[in-house]
Amino acid sequence: MGEHKTTTTTPTQKKIIEAMDKVSEKLIEFKKKNNSDLVVMQDGKIVRIKASSL
């Protein structure tokens, strides 16, 4: 029978995730302010997204 593993997030991992969220928010703000595109990967392809559309 298969064993079910539960994963827990350590306090350090939580801080890293929170920091990454903050960085992405600030990047979007910066790109909107400078009327720049965000370059992201979608479905294995590199695409540009207008920050103003977010």
Side-chain angles (χ1 to χ4, degrees):
M1 308 275 161
E3 293 182 33
H4 184 265
K5 291 184 180 181
T6 56
T7 58
T8 57
T9 306
T10 66
T12 301
Q13 289 171 324
K14 287 180 184 178
K15 286 181 182 179
I16 291 169
I17 292 167
E18 289 170 4
M20 290 173 62
D21 288 341
K22 196 172 193 176
V23 166
S24 65
E25 289 172 12
K26 287 186 177 265
L27 177 63
I28 292 170
E29 287 176 27
F30 176 81
K31 291 292 190 173
K32 283 182 180 179
K33 182 179 174 183
N34 292 298
N35 198 26
S36 299
D37 293 345
L38 287 165
V39 180
V40 298
M41 184 171 281
Q42 289 180 336
D43 300 323
K45 294 181 180 182
I46 297 173
V47 296
R48 292 179 177 269
I49 300 173
K50 289 282 184 197
S52 59
S53 70
L54 300 177

